[in-house]
Amino acid sequence: ETGVTQTPRHLVMGMTNKKSLKCEQHLGHNAMYWYKQSAKKPLELMFVYNFKEQTENNSVPSRFSPECPNSSHLFLHLHTLQPEDSALYLCASSQGDRTSTDTQYFGPGTRLTVL
Amino acid sequence: QKEVEQDPGPLSVPEGAIVSLNCTYSNSAFQYFMWYRQYSRKGPELLMYTYSSGNKEDGRFTAQVDKSSKYISLFIRDSQPSDSATYLCAMKSSSNYKLTFGKGTLLTVNP
């Protein structure tokens, strides 16, 4: 596997379910990100981890709970979601050195549908 | 006023056309400008990266930044059906990892 991988690629869940999204990066990066992409809206940054420490929580509802056990893996735990949470959830990684050339590389995303 | 404005299209052009994609922004602190391409059912991939004002060329793609007008463009020459995708502009200020994205423009190049 190369780059940034995400599983599952598609997920349908009810509002009372609990599920988790997984992201893995094979680039040796230190920073990982969760974004939400909804139709007709810009990408919304949700969480940032740098060297396993959460450095940004962009006022995300508590029904989304991130976990970063190491620099290569990132999870997004979901519970009691709402239909408006249906979207494409993208994971990204970067070197995390905050230099001008710190480029983010994206995974293919998980298409989430909440019924 | 939104930080980054991008016309979502859709934009449909014939093969071989020159395509012009644009974004405007309001935050004068933005110094680094990117264009990402996103194919259907895929994540965004970095296409072009420019710093401050000026032009940057890479094959059929040219990125242009006009900081005085707070306006950036991506030109695609000799467009191909394989260029059909959503193009996202993104930008950030100096030494800040946080990217601000436009909504994306859906481009279709018809053979």
Side-chain angles (χ1 to χ4, degrees), chain A residues 6-73:
Chain A
Q6 290 186 245
T7 53
R9 294 294 308 277
H10 301 272
L11 179 62
V12 179
M13 59 188 287
M15 289 192 285
T16 57
N17 291 159
K18 287 185 182 182
K19 296 285 184 184
S20 295
L21 310 185
K22 179 184 174 183
C23 175
E24 185 173 359
Q25 59 94 1
H26 309 267
L27 299 169
H29 288 163
N30 299 305
M32 298 187 77
Y33 310 75
W34 278 118
Y35 285 89
K36 177 183 178 182
Q37 187 175 35
S38 306
K40 298 187 179 8
K41 286 187 178 181
L43 264 72
E44 300 172 50
L45 180 64
M46 299 174 72
F47 302 103
V48 181
Y49 279 82
N50 206 346
F51 290 93
K52 301 188 297 178
E53 298 296 321
Q54 188 179 120
T55 57
E56 179 110 9
N57 177 338
N58 219 18
S59 303
V60 180
S62 59
R63 56 186 185 269
F64 295 91
S65 174
E67 179 190 358
C68 187
N70 55 60
S71 293
S72 299
H73 294 86

Side-chain angles (χ1 to χ4, degrees), chain A residues 9 37 56 100 103-104 107, chain B residues 32 36 38 41 43 49 97:
Chain A
R9 294 294 308 277
Q37 187 175 35
E56 179 110 9
S100 59
T103 304
Q104 293 182 27
Chain B
Y32 303 94
Y36 281 83
Q38 185 175 20
R41 300 187 194 88
Y49 189 116
Y97 57 83

Side-chain angles (χ1 to χ4, degrees), chain B residues 43-57:
Chain B
E45 59 174 327
L46 184 65
L47 196 58
M48 298 286 281
Y49 189 116
T50 52
Y51 167 67
S52 197
S53 287
N55 291 2
K56 183 175 181 179
E57 192 173 318

Side-chain angles (χ1 to χ4, degrees), chain B residues 27-46:
Chain B
N27 188 344
S28 57
F30 289 143
Q31 299 261 11
Y32 303 94
F33 304 92
M34 286 136 273
W35 287 95
Y36 281 83
R37 178 176 60 195
Q38 185 175 20
Y39 290 115
S40 181
R41 300 187 194 88
K42 297 281 180 75
E45 59 174 327
L46 184 65

